[in-house]
Amino acid sequence: MPDEPLVLGIETSCDETGVGIVRGHTLLADALASSVEQHARFGGVVPEVASRAHLEAIVPTMRRALDEAKVTLADIDAIAVTAGPGLAGALLVGVAAAKGYALATDKPIYGVNHLAAHVAVDTLEHGPLPEPAIAMLVSGGHSSLLLVDDVTAGVTPLGATIDDAAGEAFDKVARLLGLGFPGGPAIDRLAREGDGAAIPFPRGLTAAKDLAAHRYDFSFSGLKTAVARWVEARQREGTTIPVADVAASFQEAVCDVLTAKAIEACRAHGVDTLVIGGGVAANSRLRALASLRAEKNGIRVRVPRPQLCTDNGAMVAALGSHLVAAGVAPSRLDLPVDSAMPLTVVTA
Ligand code: KG4
Ligand code: ZN
């Protein structure tokens, strides 16, 4: 609707410079610049390189978003920006830019939580979120299960990874298999040619003794080590590594644990909607297995399209728009970045 607020969202917490624009809950623009290729030869995101890339990309990305949405900066009603969690130097670029734009246009600024934004983005595609819902956020930096009562008011963490994040495990295993960075998409592709049941890799924190203290927590570090040991043993013997089977079996172990715990969280809380977000939500096996298991339990799975799962500006704009609609007070113009922003905080 033309009278709904026009909200701009800026995302610079990791290696994607994103600027999104929404009117109400309708997506008008989602401009993105990525420095992923500059990190590839290091096998992971280099914070200093990411910060510099954001600095170079922020103004052109902003212009592209405004062009795409066919609006001017003066039309914008509120500016939302990721204030944390993320890489401090990278966050600073987005927050400084947002402050500049807010000051220049005299519009309110909302410093928002990156993870809450990953949940909120789904409303752009699938409409209002039933409350409460369970959200599973799986990215390069996080793997969490959350109980979401109201995305503008904070979420309740149910569990999280106790070591590596799911995406990190994909990236590390891909490196081990010589598949390059980022590893998730490469493993996803290769796994389609392999057998997910070929190798029985361990399912972390699913044994009865672990469930008592870690019912909704994840652990992927043991799995990564198991894959490394399995590959090394074949290398010592001089046998060829069935790379597609290793990729598929590793992926199956990750997706099995993630979906089992997510469905269990829904059942235990009497919740019928599971939202999956973060870069790993783009994984085809995760989507398929989650749908299969959810259907058996009468649970609806909502996963935004892949471009909205990975980091982007639209998700920040989406959360900003929810905050504006809920009448939440904006942040101060001197808002800080918080690289370890807790999930219970939605607005800085
Ligand atoms: O949410 P995101 O873009 O950035 C943050 O970490 O916040 O997630 C990036 C992560 C990387 O670890 C990448 O390997 C993983 O998401 N990823 C995938 C897939 N696409 C991206 N993992 C598994 N399967 C995929 N198709
Ligand atoms: Zn993210």
Side-chain angles (χ1 to χ4, degrees):
M1 276 187 287
D3 55 347
E4 285 184 303
L6 196 58
V7 181
L8 181 119
I10 298 178
E11 157 61 36
T12 64
S13 70
C14 192
D15 57 347
E16 323 279 353
T17 313
V19 179
I21 300 175
V22 301
R23 184 178 296 281
H25 302 303
T26 307
L27 182 60
L28 300 185
D30 189 17
L32 199 70
S34 177
S35 62
V36 68
E37 280 165 14
Q38 298 178 45
H39 307 289
R41 68 191 171 102
F42 302 105
V45 176
V46 182
E48 291 304 322
V49 174
S51 304
R52 182 165 288 270
H54 286 308
L55 210 51
E56 287 166 1
I58 189 79
V59 173
T61 311
M62 180 78 175
R63 289 214 183 101
R64 266 201 292 136
L66 291 168
D67 286 351
E68 204 178 309
K70 298 186 178 61
V71 298
T72 67
L73 194 55
D75 299 327
I76 302 291
D77 296 306
I79 295 169
V81 58
T82 301
L87 303 170
L91 289 165
L92 268 173
V93 179
V95 169
K99 286 176 179 175
Y101 289 122
L103 192 65
T105 56
D106 198 22
K107 295 293 160 59
I109 183 170
Y110 289 83
V112 306
N113 188 308
H114 178 83
L115 296 169
H118 268 304
V119 179
V121 73
D122 186 62
T123 59
L124 294 179
E125 197 162 334
H126 298 117
L129 201 60
E131 290 160 357
I134 295 286
M136 178 162 70
L137 293 183
V138 272
S139 73
H142 288 85
S143 304
S144 332
L145 272 176
L146 319 166
L147 181 63
V148 185
D149 268 315
D150 173 357
V151 78
T152 65
V155 295
T156 312
L158 299 177
T161 179
I162 61 165
D163 41 54
D164 293 347
E168 201 179 349
F170 270 96
D171 294 336
K172 287 179 177 171
V173 167
R175 177 145 61 155
L176 188 106
L177 298 176
L179 299 177
F181 174 84
I187 290 190
D188 195 349
R189 269 193 305 276
L190 188 63
R192 286 178 205 152
E193 295 154 30
D195 175 7
I199 310 155
F201 285 130
R203 270 61 170 162
L205 300 182
T206 54
K209 66 173 171 41
D210 295 324
L211 284 177
H214 295 289
R215 191 170 176 199
Y216 301 123
D217 290 329
F218 305 107
S219 167
F220 298 111
S221 160
L223 169 61
K224 173 198 67 196
T225 309
V227 176
R229 296 282 167 276
W230 196 93
V231 170
E232 283 160 16
R234 301 299 167 298
Q235 279 167 341
R236 268 197 305 276
E237 290 166 5
T239 34
T240 342
I241 315 283
V243 188
D245 283 349
V246 177
S249 301
F250 157 76
Q251 177 175 272
E252 192 64 23
V254 175
C255 297
D256 182 16
V257 177
L258 288 176
T259 53
K261 294 206 176 202
I263 299 291
E264 174 54 22
C266 291
R267 285 165 49 106
H269 290 86
V271 168
D272 64 4
T273 305
L274 170 65
V275 187
I276 310 183
V280 183
N283 185 269
S284 58
R285 180 60 184 151
L286 183 66
R287 288 168 171 249
L289 195 57
S291 303
L292 192 78
R293 290 182 169 172
E295 202 174 311
K296 283 192 186 141
N297 288 281
I299 294 162
R300 186 167 167 234
V301 180
R302 295 177 31 153
V303 193
R305 59 178 178 272
Q307 301 93 295
L308 295 181
C309 282
T310 44
D311 291 350
N312 61 78
M315 65 192 225
V316 181
L319 179 54
S321 187
H322 281 281
L323 293 167
V324 171
V328 173
S331 308
R332 289 168 43 141
L333 200 51
D334 62 352
L335 79 122
V337 302
D338 182 354
S339 58
M341 194 169 184
L343 270 161
T344 41
V345 176
V346 173
T347 331

